[in-house]
Amino acid sequence: VQLQASGGGLVQAGGSLRLSCAVSGASSINTMGWYRQAPGLERELVATIATGGSLNYADSVKDRFTISRDNDKDTVYLQMTSLKPEDTGVYYCNAKGRRLFRLFDLWGQGTLVTVSS
């Protein structure tokens, strides 16, 4: 099972970016999500979406970020709007699911988001 993230970049404060993460090789996927890690800080939850559509957001991104998934493409998206300099960091996608008879909990390679003031 592999996760391939894309969509990071440099944007000015107030701008928008859309991240994508495609999962390949899974038999089924349960929860998909995005986490981020700012320089010198621990990795933190940004948002998750369960198979049935249940959503969970960090308070700091509510009303600005939207997580969604395309189950046909095994892809999770993160639409980020009204970006702030404090949103800067490496964004990692995560997927939990099953490949054949084994469970997995895997991370993508990370994509850098830089928000300039």
Side-chain angles (χ1 to χ4, degrees):
V1 179
Q2 292 186 326
L3 282 68
Q4 181 67 46
S6 61
L10 173 65
V11 64
Q12 290 188 329
S16 300
L17 280 175
R18 188 191 194 209
L19 307 182
S20 301
C21 178
V23 181
S24 60
S27 300
S28 63
I29 303 171
N30 298 326
T31 301
M32 307 178 81
W34 290 95
Y35 296 72
R36 67 186 180 191
Q37 187 167 17
L41 299 179
E42 294 185 353
R43 191 174 300 186
E44 63 176 1
L45 167 75
V46 176
T48 61
I49 181 167
T51 303
S54 177
L55 306 175
N56 183 38
Y57 289 98
D59 288 342
S60 59
V61 307
K62 282 181 181 177
D63 300 324
R64 297 189 300 121
F65 292 9
T66 301
I67 189 170
S68 61
R69 62 191 284 175
D70 184 332
N71 292 326
D72 291 334
K73 297 181 179 179
D74 287 345
T75 300
V76 63
Y77 305 96
L78 186 69
Q79 179 67 49
M80 304 184 291
T81 63
S82 301
L83 282 159
K84 305 175 181 179
E86 51 264 43
D87 294 317
T88 293
V90 178
Y91 283 67
Y92 297 91
C93 59
N94 174 266
K96 299 178 176 63
R98 180 177 56 82
R99 173 174 168 76
L100 300 178
F101 301 106
R102 300 189 69 173
L103 300 178
F104 66 83
D105 181 347
L106 296 175
W107 297 89
Q109 81 280 14
T111 184
L112 178 62
V113 172
T114 304
V115 185
S116 63
S117 57

